[in-house]
Amino acid sequence: QVQLVESGGGLVQPGGSLTLSCAASGFSVDSDGLGWFRQVPGGDREGVACISGNDLATSYPWSFVKGRFTIAKDSARNTVYLRLNNLEPDDTGVYICARAPAAYDDCSVYQQSQYVDWGQGTQVTVYS
């Protein structure tokens, strides 16, 4: 049974940093693509980062990430991380990780239909 459990969210001031974790079970993070998304109240769910199963491809929506976020995997822990730097109030939301079984060679943060399993999310709040 596939499970994705996020942690690491919290309250942070603008300019601060957080590292989110997504512990995976029921599959190997080295075989499937993984993505991070965020959901804001009343808004659409949007992708913020993804990494391919073979670790050779990552993707971020430059329009708002602008080099501030980094996705990485720890195969030994079967965990994917999202490092959030220079956080802004607009980054507030529930951050959710998801699995894309077909994304071994490449991944996309825009094709959400690729992602078949989703975690419950962890709340990130950026406040002044």
Side-chain angles (χ1 to χ4, degrees):
Q1 181 181 359
V2 171
Q3 280 193 313
L4 299 162
V5 180
E6 301 93 336
S7 61
L11 299 173
V12 64
Q13 291 185 321
S17 298
L18 285 172
T19 298
L20 309 182
S21 301
C22 174
S25 59
F27 72 100
S28 170
V29 298
D30 290 330
S31 63
D32 297 346
L34 291 153
W36 282 96
F37 298 80
R38 70 184 182 195
Q39 179 76 60
V40 299
D44 294 331
R45 184 175 61 199
E46 58 187 356
V48 299
C50 70
I51 187 166
S52 63
N54 63 7
D55 243 358
L56 296 181
T58 58
S59 179
Y60 308 87
W62 181 256
S63 61
F64 61 88
V65 171
K66 298 180 180 178
R68 300 179 298 130
F69 299 170
T70 304
I71 189 170
K73 290 190 291 185
D74 183 334
S75 300
R77 298 179 182 272
N78 212 40
T79 296
V80 61
Y81 301 96
L82 183 67
R83 176 69 176 177
L84 308 172
N85 291 324
N86 195 20
L87 283 161
E88 304 168 352
D90 284 348
D91 294 319
T92 293
V94 177
Y95 283 69
I96 306 162
C97 71
R99 179 179 78 108
Y104 180 76
D105 295 311
D106 201 355
C107 69
S108 170
V109 296
Y110 302 106
Q111 297 178 15
Q112 295 194 25
S113 60
Q114 288 186 339
Y115 297 85
V116 300
D117 295 293
W118 298 79
Q120 293 299 307
T122 184
Q123 176 71 44
V124 172
T125 303
V126 185
Y127 70 102
S128 298

